[in-house]
Amino acid sequence: WMELISLTDLLNHPNLRVRASLSEFDLAYPGKTKPSLTKYGNHTYRLETNDELYEGVRFTWLYFEFLGNDDSAGDEGIVINDISLVAKVKPINYTGSFESSDANLTRAWYTGAYGVRLNMEENNFNSVLIERGDRVAIQGDGHPTIAASLVAFSPYSLVKTVLQQTDSGNHSVVDQGIMAYPLYWSLSVMDYYMESGDTETFSRLLAKDIMKILNARIEDFLSPNLDIQWFG
């Protein structure tokens, strides 16, 4: 969530009204615009749009409306002393590790793992906008995320749930027709099987669906009118 510290009273100032919004663009998104911030203590303010404080947002916007005759909040002005984005993460232990003689490679591995951890929720890997209400996890889009999670955290139950949710072999899913995404999904299934050894799930459900999905895409890939715009 977005949090800021201000010595200016942002909620009760006689010449100032502050509101905030979360948006993909410079527009107030329906249902995500708040009439005011939430104040904690004397100088801390948060933009809170849901009880769990999950936002899934690309941009946070602050709107300052001056109520006097000029564009000011009085002689003292407006002071924003600090601003930050606060993240909460799913509690999970590392089951993998990486060490290299090249410190940059080691740093890259742990940075990638932590980035995945920041997007792990109870039942899915959270798209940056999924909590905004108009995005879903789409088929194959999380292939690198799933691969990194399996190596670093071994969240087998979570990964299996995500793969089943985006399995177009037995139900329609978002963007199943974008050329490369069904292939990415199939690669994630293979990663899951190789890391977990879950033969039962792989043979009973996922292996059959891989064949169905790939067979459905072969004709598209061989088409002379193939549009490679969405190969990813």
Side-chain angles (χ1 to χ4, degrees), residues 2-7 43-45 79-84:
M2 189 278 291
E3 183 172 288
L4 61 86
I5 296 175
S6 176
L7 299 182
H43 306 296
T44 300
Y45 301 85
V79 179
I80 304 296
N81 300 88
D82 188 36
I83 188 166
S84 58

Side-chain angles (χ1 to χ4, degrees), residues 2-172:
M2 189 278 291
E3 183 172 288
L4 61 86
I5 296 175
S6 176
L7 299 182
T8 303
D9 189 340
L10 300 180
L11 299 186
N12 300 302
H13 198 289
N15 298 324
L16 177 68
R17 180 183 296 125
V18 180
R19 63 188 180 95
S21 68
L22 304 175
S23 178
E24 184 175 1
F25 306 103
D26 188 7
L27 297 170
Y29 193 83
K32 284 293 187 178
T33 300
K34 302 295 289 183
S36 66
L37 300 167
T38 302
K39 188 175 184 179
Y40 289 86
N42 294 323
H43 306 296
T44 300
Y45 301 85
R46 287 181 186 170
L47 173 56
E48 298 180 350
T49 62
N50 61 75
D51 293 338
E52 293 185 350
L53 298 179
Y54 273 119
E55 304 299 356
V57 54
R58 287 179 179 171
F59 300 106
T60 300
W61 299 93
L62 293 174
Y63 302 87
F64 297 93
E65 181 180 358
F66 300 98
L67 306 179
N69 295 325
D70 56 7
D71 291 344
S72 71
D75 295 336
E76 72 278 13
I78 302 171
V79 179
I80 304 296
N81 300 88
D82 188 36
I83 188 166
S84 58
L85 291 176
V86 185
K88 71 175 185 178
V89 298
K90 178 183 177 70
I92 191 169
N93 294 323
Y94 282 84
T95 60
S97 61
F98 179 83
E99 186 174 355
S100 170
S101 58
D102 187 329
N104 287 329
L105 287 179
T106 302
R107 186 179 301 112
W109 192 94
Y110 282 98
T111 300
Y114 190 73
V116 170
R117 187 186 177 199
L118 288 176
N119 287 281
M120 293 176 70
E121 295 187 5
E122 182 179 1
N123 297 312
N124 66 347
F125 292 95
N126 188 358
S127 163
V128 69
L129 293 175
I130 215 167
E131 295 298 333
R132 203 183 71 173
D134 70 339
R135 295 292 192 276
V136 296
I138 64 177
Q139 183 182 54
D141 203 24
H143 172 56
T145 299
I146 289 175
S149 74
L150 289 167
V151 171
F153 306 109
S154 305
Y156 300 140
S157 177
L158 173 61
V159 170
K160 182 167 70 172
T161 296
V162 171
L163 291 175
Q164 290 173 332
Q165 288 174 345
T166 56
D167 179 2
S168 63
N170 57 56
H171 63 275
S172 179

